[in-house]
Amino acid sequence: MAGKTVHLAVYDTYADWEAGHTTAFLAQNGYTVRTVAATGAPVTTMAGVRIQPDLTLDDVQPRDSALLILTGASLWDTSDDLAPFARKARAFLDAGVPVAAICGATAGLAREGLLDDRAHTSAVSFYLAATGYKGGEHYRDKDAVTDDDGLLITAGPTEPVALAREVFARLGVFEGEKLDAWYRLFHDSDPAAYEVLES
């Protein structure tokens, strides 16, 4: 089912931990997660894990997806190798399909001009300012931000749980008290949140 497929971008130096909560709980709640790389060749994550991608960027069309996820990677700040992923994010946003970006991926989106007009966050404001982007006035000093159109979700490198919270809210995986409880459980280790999630 196209609307239940989420695409996870993978590339060399991919930050393994940044999409873990998001993809695991999407998979447990009816979504299929498919990995997308620049080519069909395996990629190696920051932890040295090899991933054989399901698809290439050329294979992925926004109409076939519920969400594109972009994580951090050393390559975002050291080369232009990942620029095609930012261009694919543009295609998703232009088609009205959400994009979630964390850590260095936010800098990639900034370089592509995708943060110039949208509320967003990242590690710190001066990290994005160094890209030369024009969206500084839209920067929000928050753990994660969903823009006013509900299409772009951004988070800093220490906030994978907040990124997941915003994704779950956008896709309707958890709502209201359950969304808040899920966040309290995994971000704050609040044992009282178990009761809400199990009710």
Side-chain angles (χ1 to χ4, degrees):
M1 195 172 352
K4 286 289 200 176
T5 300
V6 167
H7 291 96
L8 172 66
V10 294
Y11 21 73
D12 286 335
T13 72
Y14 164 93
D16 305 66
W17 61 95
E18 291 180 344
H21 290 86
T22 302
T23 54
F25 282 89
L26 288 176
Q28 290 175 28
N29 285 277
Y31 285 84
T32 298
V33 179
R34 302 198 74 195
T35 54
V36 182
T39 72
V43 299
T44 303
T45 72
M46 205 174 284
V49 176
R50 286 170 58 84
I51 296 175
Q52 177 63 54
D54 297 314
L55 302 162
T56 69
L57 276 176
D58 290 341
D59 295 329
V60 177
Q61 300 301 322
R63 66 177 176 268
D64 300 324
S65 186
L67 175 75
L68 174 65
I69 304 171
L70 301 169
T71 70
S74 301
L75 288 176
W76 284 113
D77 295 321
T78 58
S79 75
D80 293 328
D81 290 357
L82 302 187
F85 291 91
R87 289 194 292 273
K88 183 60 76 169
R90 177 181 291 282
F92 269 64
L93 294 171
D94 287 348
V97 179
V99 172
I102 184 170
C103 190
T106 62
L109 298 188
R111 291 185 192 97
E112 181 64 18
L114 296 176
L115 305 186
D116 288 351
D117 306 320
R118 296 177 171 92
H120 61 274
T121 194
S122 185
V124 287
S125 60
F126 55 82
Y127 170 63
L128 292 185
T131 68
Y133 87 130
K134 300 173 184 173
E137 67 184 283
H138 301 291
Y139 185 87
R140 304 291 181 262
D141 190 15
K142 298 176 67 176
D143 58 5
V145 171
T146 299
D147 74 344
D148 291 341
D149 295 330
L151 290 178
L152 181 64
I153 299 166
T154 51
T158 61
E159 297 296 344
V161 177
L163 179 80
R165 178 195 66 211
E166 298 297 303
V167 167
F168 299 157
R170 176 62 178 82
L171 297 182
V173 173
F174 299 121
E175 299 175 331
E177 286 187 3
K178 285 207 170 181
L179 179 63
D180 177 65
W182 183 91
Y183 181 74
R184 286 189 290 111
L185 178 61
F186 287 95
H187 188 266
D188 304 328
S189 301
D190 180 358
Y194 274 116
E195 296 178 18
V196 177
L197 288 172
E198 294 300 316
S199 64

